[in-house]
Amino acid sequence: MLDFILKFFLGFLLIGLVVFFHELSHFAAARLMKVDVDVISFGMGPRLFSFYGKKTEFRISVIPFGGYCRMKGSIDLSKALSDDKKKMDKKESGSYFASSPIKRMIIYASGPLGNFILAILLLALASSLPVERISNPCRVCVINDYPALFSYRVENPELVTGDLILKMDGKDVLDYEDFTSRLDGKSHSLIVKRDGETLEIILNPEKNGDDYYYGLSLYQEAVIGRSEVEMIKSGDRIVSANGKEIHNTLDLFSLSYPLDLVLLNESGSTYTYHAEANPLPFSFKSDLRKSSDAVGISALNLGIRKASEYFINTMKALGAIITLNIQDARLVITGPTKAAQSIGNISTLAFSEGVSSGVRAVLYLLSIVSISLCVANIVPFPTFDGGGILINFIEIFKKEGLRPRTYVVLQILGMIIAFSLMAALYFVDIHYYFLS
């Protein structure tokens, strides 16, 4: 139970930081538009600690979830309501209501925009962090040599199974994974090592539908990495199976079960193992190397692309809710409690694998939360940023401001909608934990 509470609190805190950044974006935009901010708070509920700037109280509140940004203007609204005014004639300097509708729209839009920018930065930073990846020497098999495994053929007559690729388009090839990540459906110039000789080869793809195929697969030696069988040790090599010599894993996978394996251990002795059916009780050995997805401008471009993909997918989820497509919505919608627990669980699990993996996982999770908050706030309901933008757009169109009472009614309606949505999300959590 304590473990659950700690992970839940961690997830809750991380979500709260993203929500607070949303409020910080409003704060920055308000000050840029010459609108004073009375209070900016990290957290909700009663004040725990605060200090005062020139015009703003910077507050930490008891509940470390989200925050709020309260702009100057409550006195203007109170006076107009008490005098039963149809419009706000007297406005304090620096008040929200003293600013133009365009400036107010900018203030509202800054929240979702800030979350989108935050997601880009988080994703760019995550892609820059080096993590351990599976790494295999860039030796290749030509799939035409393995018709039992591949149902198609690609003609690359210059390459042969066992070739070691050293360079691609003039740049060193780190490993097979690096090589395949750089294939882009175009022809490439390769420097290949074969039987002690260095050759220059042009690699050409073949198009099949919308995809391009190069006709290559990994040449992985049949050396044991991890084993669930006590007699088979890491480092042992499969030298034959069913009487056929084994040079790489594709040679083995081409055979039919059952398999009679002959293995060579590190002391030079051989032994046999009978495998009745797939899956085999061991995996094959691969090296590890530390690398990043991208750095510098490439990382930023990757962040923009991924944030855009997250945004589009989240908009589709929102569309499923609006169109009452409940089955699709359930696949992507979760309540705040389960979301916090999931983030806490994934973060702690990732940190158990290493600091870099943990930080990377947290950054990816927070980017998803940030995009979700961005999309949720552009919904054109009162009290949501999208609603504020819509109201000010109407004011521009009508060339007059809302009546004070209308403004209050809309705010109350928006709060009812917001609380209803929150209640619905908590019901999702209750259903998950107690009814499913």
Side-chain angles (χ1 to χ4, degrees):
M1 186 64 182
L2 178 61
D3 182 64
F4 172 84
I5 293 173
L6 290 175
K7 290 178 180 178
F8 168 75
F9 182 81
L10 173 62
F12 213 59
L13 180 62
L14 291 173
I15 294 174
L17 289 171
V18 176
V19 178
F20 181 62
F21 187 87
H22 177 94
E23 300 303 327
L24 276 178
S25 300
H26 285 311
F27 170 79
R31 297 303 300 125
L32 188 64
M33 297 295 111
K34 307 300 181 183
V35 173
D36 294 339
V37 177
D38 292 333
V39 179
I40 176 83
S41 173
F42 172 68
M44 306 293 288
R47 176 177 57 191
L48 188 64
F49 170 79
S50 67
F51 65 92
Y52 292 85
K54 188 175 181 180
K55 295 182 178 180
T56 305
E57 177 189 357
F58 297 89
R59 181 182 296 180
I60 297 177
S61 299
V62 171
I63 304 172
F65 180 74
Y68 57 90
C69 175
R70 190 173 71 213
M71 286 171 271
K72 187 176 182 180
S74 57
I75 294 177
D76 295 342
L77 183 60
S78 297
K79 285 181 178 179
L81 288 171
S82 62
D83 296 339
D84 198 21
K85 296 281 187 178
K86 292 185 178 180
K87 62 179 181 179
M88 296 184 203
D89 296 323
K90 298 178 181 179
K91 302 170 186 175
E92 292 183 293
S93 176
S95 166
Y96 165 81
F97 296 105
S99 62
S100 68
I102 291 290
K103 290 184 177 181
R104 295 179 208 165
M105 290 173 70
I106 292 173
I107 293 171
Y108 276 115
S110 65
L113 179 61
N115 279 124
F116 190 82
I117 293 173
L118 176 62
I120 291 173
L121 297 176
L122 292 172
L123 289 165
L125 181 57
S127 66
S128 300
L129 290 176
V131 292
E132 285 191 338
R133 307 172 190 274
I134 291 176
S135 175
N136 292 285
C138 195
R139 294 185 73 188
V140 296
C141 289
V142 177
I143 65 169
N144 296 349
D145 295 339
Y146 300 91
L149 296 177
F150 301 94
S151 59
Y152 60 94
R153 293 176 60 86
V154 177
E155 296 302 329
N156 271 307
E158 293 187 271
L159 284 167
V160 300
T161 294
D163 281 350
L164 177 65
I165 299 175
L166 304 176
K167 290 189 176 186
M168 177 176 177
D169 299 328
K171 295 182 179 180
D172 290 340
V173 173
L174 300 177
D175 51 28
Y176 182 80
E177 290 70 26
D178 175 47
F179 167 68
T180 54
S181 71
R182 288 155 60 180
L183 296 175
D184 55 5
K186 300 176 182 178
S187 295
H188 296 279
S189 173
L190 306 180
I191 301 297
V192 172
K193 188 174 183 180
R194 179 190 303 164
D195 298 329
E197 290 187 66
T198 301
L199 308 172
E200 185 172 353
I201 290 174
I202 301 299
L203 178 64
N204 297 309
E206 289 187 12
K207 190 173 183 180
N208 187 347
D210 294 329
D211 297 319
Y212 288 88
Y213 295 95
Y214 289 87
L216 302 175
S217 184
L218 171 65
Y219 184 108
Q220 184 179 26
E221 294 185 352
V223 177
I224 306 301
R226 294 182 181 180
S227 174
E228 299 173 4
V229 179
E230 187 175 351
M231 67 181 297
I232 301 177
K233 307 296 183 183
S234 175
D236 292 357
R237 178 189 300 271
I238 299 174
V239 293
S240 69
N242 294 353
K244 296 183 178 180
E245 192 173 351
I246 300 297
H247 299 283
N248 61 73
T249 54
L250 294 192
D251 290 336
L252 179 65
F253 297 149
S254 298
L255 302 177
S256 300
Y257 287 86
L259 297 174
D260 290 309
L261 306 177
V262 177
L263 294 96
L264 177 70
N265 62 29
E266 293 182 332
S267 65
S269 302
T270 59
Y271 62 94
T272 59
Y273 177 80
H274 180 76
E276 188 64 33
N278 199 36
L280 293 167
F282 51 77
S283 60
F284 294 103
K285 186 178 181 179
S286 293
D287 294 327
L288 295 174
R289 69 172 171 89
K290 280 194 172 184
S291 66
S292 304
D293 292 333
V295 292
I297 297 299
S298 297
L300 190 60
N301 290 335
L302 184 60
I304 293 172
R305 188 172 72 251
K306 286 189 175 181
S308 300
E309 290 173 0
Y310 291 171
F311 181 85
I312 292 170
N313 291 335
T314 308
M315 287 294 291
K316 289 179 180 178
L318 180 62
I321 299 172
I322 293 173
T323 57
L324 299 180
N325 190 341
I326 304 301
Q327 186 173 359
D328 286 349
R330 282 179 176 176
L331 297 176
V332 291
I333 299 300
T334 186
T337 305
K338 186 173 184 298
Q341 182 201 0
S342 298
I343 290 174
N345 285 338
I346 295 171
S347 299
T348 52
L349 179 62
F351 272 107
S352 69
E353 298 293 326
V355 174
S356 182
S357 296
V359 172
R360 186 181 171 93
V362 169
L363 293 175
Y364 274 117
L365 290 169
L366 293 187
S367 70
I368 295 171
V369 172
S370 195
I371 290 295
S372 299
L373 192 61
C374 168
V375 171
N377 271 277
I378 62 177
V379 175
F381 291 156
T383 72
F384 288 76
D385 294 329
I389 293 171
L390 179 61
I391 288 171
N392 283 285
F393 180 79
I394 292 172
E395 288 189 7
I396 293 173
F397 181 76
K398 292 179 64 179
K399 297 183 180 180
E400 63 178 355
L402 290 178
R403 292 187 176 188
R405 290 190 182 279
T406 303
Y407 180 84
V408 172
V409 169
L410 287 174
Q411 293 301 304
I412 293 173
L413 177 62
M415 291 179 65
I416 292 172
I417 293 172
F419 280 121
S420 298
L421 289 174
M422 187 61 69
L425 289 174
Y426 275 112
F427 176 77
V428 171
D429 283 341
I430 292 171
H431 187 276
Y432 172 79
Y433 286 112
F434 300 106
L435 302 178
S436 60

